[in-house]
Amino acid sequence: MRPLFVTGTGTDIGKTHVLCALLSAHRAAGGQARVLKPVISGFDPAQANETDTIRLMRANGDSLTAENVQAVSPWRFKPALSPDMAARRERRSLPIDRVVSWCLDHISRDMPTLIEGAGGVMSPIAEDGLNLDLIRELDAHPILVAGNYLGTISHTLTAIRVLDGRCAVIINDQGDGAVPAEENAQALMRFAPRADVRVFNGDATVLLDLLNVNSA
């Protein structure tokens, strides 16, 4: 099955929040999925329960063992920096080809595989590669999470453009946007007609069909 890659228009945009809701809804509907977050920075072992890796594992119903944590996030860095900077700070190597190879080895053939990137779509996920590069190397279907704020249209259209227009877009509506999320969604659909634009306001069941994407 073709993997899905969850990325965002920027950092702290709600990727993990949306993905956890989607995983929980899929599991509640009787489905199974594999979730991978190959690279994570800001991972403090003393506060592991607060990390995105553990949140994703909980949402997916995975046992919280050290072995399973390694199977979800093999590259974990303590500094809360972009992964390339965090790797340099810890004097560790993080080449994109190793991340690609690891992901290819862990993509399931039997159930949906959801891969969460680090930061925005154009953020470095390795010392020599961006999230965008990883998406392309894995031939993954991009799911782009965007915020609902003044300026999100420009940020989101820029991200859609680098993804060649073919992606799912999820506006993460926290209910505090200056413009209603539905209006921003309509604007995005007008200027990016090939993108599949949705609004997420807490009900992830409206996103479940995204897990059935197996081709371009």
Side-chain angles (χ1 to χ4, degrees):
M1 298 181 71
R2 189 181 182 195
L4 297 102
F5 194 104
V6 180
T7 187
T9 57
T11 302
D12 293 330
I13 210 70
K15 296 189 307 296
T16 304
H17 172 66
V18 171
L19 181 50
C20 282
L22 180 55
L23 289 167
S24 294
H26 180 60
R27 188 158 61 98
Q32 293 182 305
R34 178 164 294 172
V35 63
L36 307 174
K37 187 174 177 67
V39 181
I40 181 172
S41 54
F43 187 97
D44 185 351
Q47 297 180 321
N49 286 338
E50 301 175 15
T51 65
D52 291 347
T53 298
I54 299 301
R55 290 173 61 198
L56 292 169
M57 292 175 66
R58 280 205 187 98
N60 201 42
D62 297 335
S63 299
L64 303 181
T65 64
E67 182 180 12
N68 283 348
V69 170
Q70 179 68 17
V72 173
S73 296
W75 287 277
R76 304 183 299 280
F77 302 98
K78 190 171 183 179
L81 303 168
S82 65
D84 60 322
M85 294 181 182
R88 284 200 301 271
R89 187 73 60 89
E90 295 188 0
R91 298 182 179 180
R92 295 166 60 188
S93 176
L94 184 60
I96 189 69
D97 61 342
R98 286 186 58 197
V99 180
V100 170
S101 178
W102 183 88
C103 288
L104 289 174
D105 286 343
H106 287 78
I107 292 170
S108 175
R109 297 179 181 273
D110 306 316
M111 65 184 77
T113 299
L114 296 105
I115 304 169
E116 184 182 300
V121 64
M122 293 299 286
S123 297
I125 198 169
E127 61 197 37
D128 56 349
L130 311 174
N131 284 277
L132 179 64
D133 298 317
L134 185 54
I135 291 169
R136 289 176 172 169
E137 289 293 330
L138 299 177
D139 187 31
H141 183 74
I143 297 178
L144 178 69
V145 178
N148 186 47
Y149 53 85
L150 190 63
T152 193
I153 293 175
S154 177
H155 298 161
T156 306
L157 287 175
T158 300
I160 292 172
R161 179 66 63 88
V162 301
L163 291 167
D164 299 323
R166 298 185 183 277
C167 59
V169 178
I170 300 174
I171 299 177
N172 182 25
D173 184 15
Q174 301 293 323
D176 54 359
V179 179
E182 290 75 13
E183 288 188 31
N184 279 329
Q186 289 296 325
L188 292 173
M189 287 187 284
R190 189 164 66 251
F191 290 104
R194 293 189 298 172
D196 176 7
V197 183
R198 321 266 184 111
V199 173
F200 170 72
N201 55 15
D203 180 11
T205 59
V206 300
L207 308 177
L208 287 176
D209 64 302
L210 294 175
L211 302 182
N212 298 322
V213 176
N214 291 309
S215 58

